[in-house]
Amino acid sequence: MFDQYESLVRNLNALDSDGTMQGVQYHGLFGDMQGEYLIVQTSMLSCGMTTVVVFVVLLVATRNGVLAALSVASVAGILVSCLGFIRFSGWAYGFYEAICVTITTGFSCDFVVHIDHGYAEASDRTRPSSLPSRYERVRSAVGEMGVSITGAFLSTAGASLFMLGSPLVPFQKMGKFIAFN
């Protein structure tokens, strides 16, 4: 709606040939609208940039393009589920939702990087001279990193449950968002 009125004002101002009767639209909330618009756009940009950086870091660290691509696909799937949760909840994508998605991007990248590290560094302790199979690497990665990741998940989800009872809507939203994702 703001853009429609802004277009109308520009068209009317174009009719003023000498520039003495230029109009502007103003409301105290317009600054907030522009700020929220920038935050929403920046959150989407940061999610995209983070995903690209994670791909490059994993590609360099693991020297395995397939692993890096699968990891980025996993992060992208998590982001899609987050955006789906926002839509399913009936929320508009605004300031608080942008913060939630940005936080979730960080969590998902952190968890994926830990599992990738465990997978890339896995070795078969029973046969040190041979290369481990994919199955053995997955077992090793989940065995070594799974406990830490599960602990981080449980503590984060547990902390989010306390936010559900908050009288402040932003905390309730963040609690629901983190508990779901």
Side-chain angles (χ1 to χ4, degrees), residues 28 43 78 125:
S43 79
I78 293 167
R125 291 183 183 85

Side-chain angles (χ1 to χ4, degrees), residues 77-157:
I78 293 167
L79 289 176
V80 167
S81 78
C82 291
L83 295 173
F85 177 76
I86 290 171
R87 181 76 173 166
F88 179 73
S89 297
W91 302 342
Y93 192 80
F95 176 76
Y96 300 116
E97 293 78 14
I99 291 172
C100 289
V101 169
T102 303
I103 289 171
T104 304
T105 303
F107 285 153
S108 65
C109 290
D110 185 41
F111 295 158
V112 167
V113 167
H114 278 84
I115 289 291
D116 281 2
H117 173 71
Y119 181 86
E121 297 297 320
S123 63
D124 186 3
R125 291 183 183 85
T126 60
R127 297 178 298 165
S129 62
S130 66
L131 291 173
S133 68
R134 286 187 182 135
Y135 174 78
E136 291 165 337
R137 288 179 138 196
V138 169
R139 255 182 88 109
S140 176
V142 171
E144 290 179 18
M145 299 293 180
V147 173
S148 301
I149 290 172
T150 302
F153 158 73
L154 290 174
S155 65
T156 302

Side-chain angles (χ1 to χ4, degrees), residues 53-69:
V53 169
V54 164
F55 177 78
V56 171
V57 167
L58 288 174
L59 188 61
V60 170
T62 64
R63 297 173 303 281
N64 187 335
V66 174
L67 187 60

